[in-house]
Amino acid sequence: MTADAPADPVPDPRWLTAEEMRAWLAYRRLRLVLSAAVNRELAQDSGLSEPDYDVLSNLSESGRRRLGELADRMLWSRSRLSHHITRMQDRGLVRREDVDGDARGSDIVLTPAGRLALEEAAPRHVASVRRLFIDRMTPEQIRVLGDIGEAVLGPLGDHTE
Amino acid sequence: MTADAPADPVPDPRWLTAEEMRAWLAYRRLRLVLSAAVNRELAQDSGLSEPDYDVLSNLSESGRRRLGELADRMLWSRSRLSHHITRMQDRGLVRREDVDGDARGSDIVLTPAGRLALEEAAPRHVASVRRLFIDRMTPEQIRVLGDIGEAVLGPLGDHTE
DNA sequence: CGGAGGTCGGTGACGTGTCAACAAAGACCG
DNA sequence: CGGTCTTTGTTGACACGTCACCGACCTCCG
């Protein structure tokens, strides 16, 4: 598709500068390599995947939550969460439970096994995140990374256009 | 680093501070939301996934490459790349071609259709990356993000422990 | 009441990615 | 030469995520 804008002040696609490309590559390499490393350690230490851990973690405060509410909170699609809950339910980590007042859906409830798995996984997981990520950055870099998150995505979890 | 405790032999799992958690969440939200947005736009504009684009992009310089070489360059596993090449081959974007001198593997070759797909996708993809990511950061943030990549992963693609 | 429309969540198909296991071929060395 | 070790890439099983779609249920209003 060729650009058909008449008097566009940006004639070409504005390629990335070297600095911009460096930042984009940094983000992509972090996503690729760091995620894999954290995920692998988590799986070996606890048998949980990162998504598993996130679900358990987001459930742990109240112990139960509506699927849609949990999905919104995690910025996941309902479909993704539904699939994942099914798999976690098969492993006994969570349970679907009918809720009265609305028969359309159900609460997702943390089982004792799920809570135990989370509590056993947490210390090592935090240690992984520290060792592989946090402790490799300066306080300044940590602060700016937080700023970047807000600059790019907005102060809240606003992920709409 | 800012050691707050004088002689602290790390008694507990050292939970993350608020600033550290903010950085960790920023990273995770970027990975989740930004990737999804960029990927969605790329798919709608060009019919390519981000992995497709990456493969084509890494092939475009030389037009052909050994699978292992390409995998190393992209920081992918050979298995992942082999699977992905199979799918891309089915769509006519790349082709496996026997190479003389080593009959164990083959070269991955960019087809004309693959090169065309890349060239048509590139301007819009760059525009997406700009609009959704780069242009939302200050030059300072862009610079620090590049630094973070090197601090966390090392100056090169060193993804070993 | 009863129907229209929105909400809740589940489902099937498919593309993606990982892991472990494997086969084929090169490399090395006696 | 012949055996062993290594390298190369593929495969199968499975977990993960998305998309489009559906069916059940709630809400609201005529």
Side-chain angles (χ1 to χ4, degrees):
Chain A
M1 304 305 182
T2 50
D4 46 6
D8 200 300
V10 182
D12 59 34
R14 283 203 302 155
W15 209 254
L16 301 185
T17 68
E19 270 298 275
E20 290 165 348
M21 183 59 82
R22 179 165 167 268
W24 176 238
L25 288 181
Y27 163 68
R28 304 216 11 233
R29 283 178 47 207
L30 283 176
R31 203 180 62 183
L32 194 61
V33 180
L34 177 60
S35 296
V38 171
N39 221 318
R40 185 172 355 100
E41 293 199 357
L42 178 61
Q44 288 182 351
D45 289 345
S46 68
L48 298 176
S49 67
E50 256 199 302
D52 292 338
Y53 186 93
D54 293 345
V55 169
L56 296 178
S57 172
N58 276 281
L59 271 178
S60 69
E61 293 175 19
S62 56
R64 77 166 53 222
R65 239 179 247 282
R66 287 301 292 258
L67 186 140
E69 185 194 349
L70 187 56
D72 291 346
R73 180 186 171 88
M74 298 178 68
L75 307 181
W76 283 22
S77 70
R78 281 148 202 261
S79 168
R80 175 181 181 182
L81 184 54
S82 178
H83 279 302
H84 205 87
I85 291 298
T86 299
R87 290 188 293 262
M88 292 181 71
Q89 192 172 30
D90 292 345
R91 291 192 289 147
L93 298 170
V94 298
R95 187 161 37 84
R96 285 182 169 93
E97 193 168 286
D98 285 350
V99 56
D100 41 53
D102 190 340
R104 281 173 300 185
S106 46
D107 276 5
I108 311 303
V109 183
L110 196 55
T111 64
R115 182 172 297 280
L116 183 63
L118 175 63
E119 285 168 357
E120 289 185 342
R124 282 169 179 270
H125 182 51
V126 173
S128 282
V129 170
R130 270 212 171 284
R131 182 169 45 79
L132 296 172
F133 188 43
I134 297 292
D135 287 350
R136 298 189 183 190
M137 291 187 286
T138 67
E140 160 78 359
Q141 289 168 343
I142 289 173
R143 187 180 60 67
V144 173
L145 181 54
D147 293 345
I148 290 172
E150 291 179 9
V152 173
L153 302 174
L156 284 180
D158 175 19
H159 58 303
T160 62
E161 282 296 327
Chain B
M1 313 314 164
T2 50
D4 36 32
D8 194 345
V10 190
D12 56 34
R14 284 203 302 156
W15 208 254
L16 301 186
T17 68
E19 270 297 275
E20 291 166 346
M21 183 59 84
R22 180 165 166 269
W24 178 237
L25 288 180
Y27 163 69
R28 306 217 8 232
R29 284 178 48 210
L30 283 176
R31 204 180 60 182
L32 195 61
V33 180
L34 178 61
S35 295
V38 171
N39 222 318
R40 186 171 355 99
E41 294 200 357
L42 178 60
Q44 289 181 350
D45 289 346
S46 67
L48 297 176
S49 67
E50 256 199 302
D52 293 337
Y53 186 93
D54 293 345
V55 170
L56 296 178
S57 171
N58 276 281
L59 271 179
S60 69
E61 293 175 19
S62 55
R64 78 166 52 223
R65 235 179 251 283
R66 288 300 291 255
L67 188 139
E69 185 193 348
L70 187 56
D72 291 346
R73 178 186 171 89
M74 297 179 68
L75 307 182
W76 284 21
S77 69
R78 282 147 201 261
S79 168
R80 175 181 181 184
L81 185 55
S82 178
H83 280 301
H84 206 87
I85 290 298
T86 299
R87 292 187 294 261
M88 292 181 71
Q89 192 172 30
D90 292 345
R91 293 193 286 147
L93 298 171
V94 298
R95 187 163 36 86
R96 285 182 170 92
E97 193 169 286
D98 285 351
V99 56
D100 41 52
D102 191 341
R104 281 173 300 186
S106 45
D107 275 5
I108 312 301
V109 183
L110 195 55
T111 64
R115 184 173 294 279
L116 182 63
L118 175 63
E119 285 169 356
E120 287 185 343
R124 284 169 179 270
H125 182 52
V126 173
S128 282
V129 171
R130 269 210 173 286
R131 181 169 44 80
L132 297 171
F133 189 42
I134 298 292
D135 287 350
R136 298 188 182 190
M137 290 188 286
T138 66
E140 160 79 0
Q141 289 168 344
I142 289 174
R143 187 181 60 69
V144 174
L145 182 53
D147 293 344
I148 290 172
E150 290 179 11
V152 173
L153 302 175
L156 283 182
D158 174 21
H159 59 302
T160 63
E161 284 295 333

